[in-house]
Amino acid sequence: MTTKATRAVGVDIGGTGIKGALVDLAEGALLSDRIKVATPRGAEPDDVLAAVRQVLDTLGVADAEVPLGVAFPAIVKHGKTLSAANVSDAWIGFEAEAFFEKGLGREIHFANDADVAGIAEVRYGAARGAQGLTILTTLGTGIGTAMLYDGVLIPNSELGHLQRAGKRKDFEAVAAYSAMERESLDWAQWAARLQDYYQHLQFLFSPDLFVVGGGVSKHADQFLPLLQLDTPIIPAVHRNNAGIIGAAALTVGDAG
Ligand code: BGC
C-alpha cells in the first residue's frame, strides 16, 4: 500500500554499513541525523534484522506510524531476494520482505539498493528530467546499477556483474570502490579500471547519461575528470544518501 505521507524512513542495507534516516518526501532531504551501524559479519538474515531494528530504535521510529522503505544489495523480485554478492547466501531465494515485516512487526517497502538510489536521483537529484537512458552506478562494496528510461526504472539490472572478456573476475570485483581500497590503488589506477567499465557499458547500451553514486562520489573530482567517454558522466547529487532517500521514496510511488 502506498501512502500520502510527507515523511518516511529510509533504511539502506549495504555490504559494509546499514544506514537510515527520516526523510522529507517533498524535498528528498534528510530530516534527521543519518544513523549508521556496521553490517554484521557474514550478513546473516537474523543479524541484519537486529541491526535494522537498532537503526530504527536509534531514530526513534520503531513503531509503524512513519512509513518505512528498505533497500537491499541483491536482486529483489516480488519481495524475494534472489542473489547474494556481498551478503550471506541465505538470502538467495529468501522471502526477505516478509521476513523483515514479521521481524519488525510492520509493513515495509522493499527494493534493490541501486534501484532506489536511481529513484532518488530521478525524483530529487542528478537525473531529474533526464531523457532517454540514464545508467546510475553505485561504487561501494559492490557495483550496483539502476537503468532509467525517461525517468522510469527498469529494475534489477545488475550490471556490476558483467563479465570482462577473457577474464575470470567480473567488473565489480576489480572496479568497485572496495577494490581500490583492498588493492591500495591510487585514483589514476582505479580510474583506468572505471574507464574500461564505463566504456563497456557505453558500448552495450549507448546511454544518454551516467550518474555515479556511492560514498566515493563525494571525491568525484578526483576520478571523473580522468575518464574519457562520449557519454556525460556526473556525480549523484545525494551521494551516499541516495539509498536512504530512495528507500523512503518507495513508500510513495512505484518501486518499479
Ligand atoms: C549486487 C547488487 C547491488 C550492488 C550494490 C552487487 O553485488 O549484486 O544487487 O545493487 O552490489 O550493493
Side-chain angles (χ1 to χ4, degrees):
M1 191 186 75
T2 52
T3 65
K4 292 259 181 308
T6 55
R7 308 175 327 152
V9 176
V11 172
D12 182 12
I13 300 172
T16 308
I18 299 178
K19 297 152 274 185
L22 187 62
V23 175
D24 176 333
L25 295 171
E27 303 293 325
L30 301 199
L31 287 170
S32 72
D33 285 347
R34 178 177 185 270
I35 306 300
K36 182 171 178 178
V37 301
T39 303
R41 187 180 287 272
E44 296 294 339
D46 284 336
D47 299 336
V48 171
L49 172 65
V52 170
R53 205 181 277 131
Q54 191 187 333
V55 169
L56 297 178
D57 286 344
T58 311
L59 283 169
V61 291
D63 58 38
E65 250 165 57
V66 189
L68 170 63
V70 177
F72 195 84
I75 301 168
V76 175
K77 193 118 178 138
H78 307 306
K80 227 175 176 180
T81 40
L82 298 181
S83 64
N86 297 301
V87 290
S88 156
D89 283 353
W91 296 94
I92 301 174
F94 186 65
E95 294 286 356
E97 183 170 356
F99 170 78
F100 282 116
E101 289 193 333
K102 184 156 181 272
L104 298 172
R106 59 182 299 172
E107 184 184 75
I108 68 164
H109 300 257
F110 190 59
N112 171 265
D113 58 351
D115 282 345
V116 309
I119 291 171
E121 291 297 322
V122 157
R123 288 203 194 155
Y124 314 105
R128 208 173 188 167
Q131 295 298 300
L133 180 63
T134 298
I135 299 182
L136 172 135
T137 57
T138 60
L139 304 174
T141 314
I143 294 183
T145 59
M147 293 178 81
L148 301 134
Y149 196 84
D150 285 352
V152 177
L153 176 72
I154 305 159
N156 290 313
S157 49
E158 293 294 333
L159 303 178
H161 297 297
L162 279 174
Q163 280 310 127
R164 295 141 69 232
K167 300 273 169 52
R168 200 170 44 82
K169 293 179 177 169
D170 61 15
F171 276 101
E172 169 172 295
V174 299
Y177 180 54
S178 59
M180 176 177 179
E181 292 185 307
R182 193 172 53 242
E183 299 178 45
S184 306
L185 303 178
D186 63 26
W187 292 110
Q189 289 168 322
W190 187 49
R193 297 182 181 190
L194 293 177
Q195 174 69 30
D196 283 352
Y197 180 52
Y198 288 109
Q199 210 168 296
H200 193 54
L201 289 179
Q202 180 176 269
F203 171 71
L204 291 178
F205 297 102
S206 300
D208 297 283
L209 179 66
F210 285 122
V211 178
V212 181
V216 72
S217 56
K218 64 173 173 281
H219 301 299
D221 55 340
Q222 301 279 354
F223 63 96
L224 290 190
L226 305 179
L227 303 181
Q228 290 189 327
L229 300 160
D230 297 329
T231 312
I233 183 162
I234 58 175
V237 168
H238 298 290
R239 299 180 176 165
N240 215 14
N241 288 338
I244 296 175
I245 295 168
L250 286 177
T251 65
V252 285
D254 300 328

